[in-house]
């Protein structure tokens, strides 16, 4: 099956609903027979998505820079933990290791990863599917801003169309699987 990369928050102070969403995401990826690729952290949603995948019997691949390993936030239970020398090389390796991308709610790191993958797709550097899970309308302000960018011709409609937006994890995986079939 596919290697699905999940971008999400690593904050230790999130509401339980976000951790539950991440756990459910990892479990659903595993139930469908896919491998989880994550940022290699053991905290916040990042840790929860990996724990959910493993609890459901799925393999996990973590990609983490040495600086975060040094902070003792590495997911040492990953089936494969790849350590990079920088955040930039981490993103490159995550893109290389993954067949598809799923973004859950998150902050700057999540957005950085999503925009890196999305930008490289608009430049035709890859054709891997990308889905944004807009759970509880988390991303509505961002989506409105992106629509405005398109209206003002800073973003081509075809570029905007490369990112599929859904409101649930099962819908996200359905979209990814349909593109990978």
């Amino acid at each position: 099956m596919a290697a699905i990369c999940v971008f999400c928050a690593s904050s230790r102070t999130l509401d339980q609903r976000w951790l539950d969403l991440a756990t459910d995401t990892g479990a659903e990826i595993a139930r469908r027979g896919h491998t989880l690729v994550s940022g290699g952290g053991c905290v916040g949603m990042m840790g929860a998505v990996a724990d959910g995948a493993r609890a459901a019997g799925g393999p996990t691949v973590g990609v983490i820079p040495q600086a975060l390993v040094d902070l003792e936030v590495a997911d040492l239970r990953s089936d494969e933990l790849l350590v990079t020398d920088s955040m930039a090389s981490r993103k490159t390796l995550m893109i290389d290791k993954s067949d598809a991308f799923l973004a859950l709610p998150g902050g700057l790191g999540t957005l950085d990863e999503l925009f890196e993958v999305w930008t490289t797709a608009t430049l035709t550097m890859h054709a891997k599917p990308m889905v944004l899970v807009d759970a509880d309308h988390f991303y509505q302000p961002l989506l409105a801003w992106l629509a405005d960018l398109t209206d003002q011709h800073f973003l081509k409609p075809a570029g905007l169309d490369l990112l599929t937006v859904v409101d649930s994890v099962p819908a996200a995986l359905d979209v990814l699987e349909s593109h990978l079939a």
Side-chain angles (χ1 to χ4, degrees):
M1 295 306 279
I4 298 177
C5 185
V6 175
F7 302 133
C8 58
S10 60
S11 171
R12 297 175 194 253
T13 59
L14 297 172
D15 288 344
Q16 187 62 44
R17 68 184 171 138
W18 300 121
L19 299 173
D20 293 343
L21 175 65
T23 300
D24 294 345
T25 300
E28 186 68 14
I29 288 169
R31 275 194 295 274
R32 292 183 184 217
H34 303 296
T35 297
L36 170 71
V37 177
S38 76
C42 63
V43 295
M45 292 174 73
M46 195 182 306
V49 73
D51 288 343
R54 281 190 293 271
T60 59
V61 176
V63 184
I64 190 167
Q66 183 64 52
L68 295 180
V69 173
D70 295 344
L71 291 175
E72 299 181 351
V73 296
D75 181 10
L76 300 177
R77 295 185 303 139
S78 288
D79 295 300
E80 184 178 6
L81 187 64
L82 306 171
V83 180
T84 64
D85 63 354
S86 68
M87 293 293 279
S89 59
R90 173 202 213 181
K91 289 183 287 186
T92 299
L93 189 54
M94 289 170 83
I95 292 169
D96 291 345
K97 285 283 198 184
S98 303
D99 300 309
F101 304 93
L102 187 158
L104 295 174
L108 292 178
T110 302
L111 292 173
D112 177 50
E113 292 163 339
L114 172 63
F115 279 101
E116 175 92 12
V117 166
W118 194 1
T119 299
T120 53
T122 65
L123 298 171
T124 65
M125 297 172 78
H126 71 82
K128 299 174 182 181
M130 303 165 292
V131 175
L132 180 71
V133 178
D134 187 28
D136 295 337
H137 308 290
F138 181 88
Y139 282 113
Q140 283 305 303
L142 175 65
L143 295 170
W145 177 72
L146 291 167
D148 189 50
L149 285 180
T150 305
D151 291 345
Q152 294 188 53
H153 307 286
F154 286 102
L155 174 62
K156 294 178 182 175
L160 187 62
D161 292 343
L162 289 174
L163 181 68
T164 302
V165 179
V166 298
D167 62 1
S168 72
V169 171
L173 290 170
D174 289 346
V175 168
L176 294 177
E177 289 171 341
S178 71
H179 281 81
L180 294 169

